[in-house]
Amino acid sequence: MAHTVLALIVLLNVFCEEINGNLSFASYFHDHMVLQRGPKRAIIWGYADTIGAYVTARKNGTEVGTGLVKLGGGGRGTWKIKLPAETNPGPFTITITSRDQSASLSDVMFGDVWICSGQSNMQYSLNAVYTAAQELASAEDFHDIRTLFVELKEANTEQDDFIAIKTNWARPKRGVIDLFSAVCWLYAKYLYPHLKHPIGLIESNWGGTPIEAWSSPDAMAKCTNHPRPAASWPTSPSVLWNAMIHPLLKMTIYGAIWYQGESNSDANAANYACQFPAMITDWRQKFHNASDGETDSMFPFGFVQVFRH
């Protein structure tokens, strides 16, 4: 009898753990974010404990998709849902439900999503430019340009999600936009009057870093590389690709801008002519594949070129 009661208690605990399993979005889905607008289809994803359960997504209360919880990296259950193409900028509330669990995002806009990466010139903050006072004073007028700031982290293996976020998705406001990338922000500010739809900016850069750190092993294999020795910033091949780019692959994006090259301009400058195109091609292919074809396989990749005389 005692063994029967104990078995029932164990089964009840397992059942309760399953129905009360954590349901959540991945780390970079927040209120105020921008998802890629139509004709592309945005992808949302996250975690749930119950393998085999279904997650349902609703946009302003209307069901727009379902996803199956599968076993993902690290033994966690993950789900992914491709939303219908949306050209209405919003705002929307996106809610996910599974069994008795739910989570939601509010003030979600649909526009163009850009990644801003590279080294210190991309990392240079808006509050340090000559016209900082003017730019900061006018930033809040561009309330449909939203920003996400990825924390500086490195990893020896490819990460499915970010190790840390420095600043969640936010509208431009003092205390947030001050430390955001000046190049990234001013780029979007220039585009906005021409596009007239929301723009999402993801800052993922690190000063003083070489291209090797941002390149996947596949991209590195395309060229003859001579890895640099360790220094006071991450220089090992792929460590920033692993931690600061790879987690974004499932997200539908419009394009990327890049400001880097100085850290490769001396000893291995000649090899950069191979490494840079290889990295661009690799990013395009991997974003396209991981987003189920929604991110364009030839997405725009703008860059600043460093010339040596």
Side-chain angles (χ1 to χ4, degrees):
M1 180 67 178
H3 290 297
T4 302
V5 172
L6 180 60
L8 287 173
I9 291 173
V10 171
L11 287 172
L12 181 60
N13 286 337
V14 170
F15 179 71
C16 289
E17 286 177 2
E18 285 188 350
I19 65 172
N20 293 313
N22 292 324
L23 175 69
S24 64
F25 289 93
S27 68
Y28 52 89
F29 291 89
H30 313 131
D31 296 345
H32 314 302
M33 75 177 301
V34 177
L35 292 173
Q36 183 57 45
R37 73 192 302 267
K40 299 298 184 180
R41 297 175 63 184
I43 291 175
I44 58 174
W45 71 278
Y47 305 101
D49 289 344
T50 308
I51 307 302
Y54 280 92
V55 176
T56 301
R58 290 178 172 83
K59 186 170 61 180
N60 285 0
T62 301
E63 184 174 325
V64 289
T66 59
L68 181 67
V69 180
K70 301 178 181 180
L71 186 62
R76 301 184 69 181
T78 64
W79 55 268
K80 181 171 72 170
I81 298 173
K82 185 183 291 191
L83 302 177
E86 181 61 74
T87 55
N88 182 345
F92 293 96
T93 296
I94 295 177
T95 303
I96 54 169
T97 57
S98 182
R99 298 191 174 186
D100 65 342
Q101 297 287 299
S102 66
S104 63
L105 307 170
S106 63
D107 188 34
V108 175
M109 309 297 286
F110 282 80
D112 288 335
V113 180
W114 290 85
I115 295 174
C116 303
S117 191
Q119 60 180 102
S120 59
N121 284 338
M122 184 64 78
Q123 192 178 22
Y124 195 77
S125 59
L126 188 61
N127 65 359
V129 301
Y130 290 124
T131 57
Q134 176 184 340
E135 294 297 339
L136 294 173
S138 65
E140 292 188 23
D141 295 336
F142 296 87
H143 52 83
D144 283 346
I145 302 178
R146 312 291 177 85
T147 60
L148 173 71
F149 200 163
V150 179
E151 186 61 89
L152 278 62
K153 295 290 182 180
E154 55 184 309
N156 291 323
T157 58
E158 292 180 339
Q159 303 295 299
D160 291 329
D161 203 351
F162 287 122
I163 299 169
I165 300 289
K166 186 170 185 177
T167 306
N168 288 354
W169 281 101
R171 297 173 175 175
K173 60 182 180 180
R174 294 300 300 265
V176 173
I177 199 63
D178 308 51
L179 299 179
F180 196 75
S181 164
V183 171
C184 191
W185 172 257
L186 294 173
Y187 176 73
K189 182 180 174 182
Y190 171 80
L191 286 179
Y192 184 77
H194 302 281
L195 299 175
K196 296 182 173 61
H197 59 241
I199 299 175
L201 302 175
I202 301 174
E203 179 175 355
S204 183
N205 45 50
W206 195 326
T209 51
I211 196 170
E212 292 90 343
W214 297 100
S215 301
S216 77
D218 291 335
M220 295 285 291
K222 299 294 184 182
C223 308
T224 302
N225 291 286
H226 303 283
R228 291 167 157 240
S232 59
W233 53 80
T235 61
S236 300
S238 304
V239 293
L240 301 185
W241 158 262
N242 291 337
M244 298 179 67
I245 299 297
H246 190 270
L248 289 167
L249 293 186
K250 288 196 286 283
M251 186 179 193
T252 308
I253 67 168
Y254 187 85
I257 59 173
W258 174 265
Y259 204 147
Q260 189 276 335
E262 294 86 350
S263 291
N264 289 87
S265 62
D266 296 321
N268 55 352
N271 204 42
Y272 194 81
C274 175
Q275 290 176 301
F276 190 30
M279 189 199 79
I280 295 172
T281 298
D282 185 68
W283 279 28
R284 284 172 167 167
Q285 178 184 1
K286 286 182 166 55
F287 272 96
H288 178 73
N289 293 344
S291 65
D292 299 332
E294 293 303 322
T295 296
D296 197 285
S297 61
M298 289 296 291
F299 66 75
F301 193 106
F303 59 91
V304 176
Q305 180 67 63
V306 177
F307 289 95
R308 298 284 290 179
H309 295 285

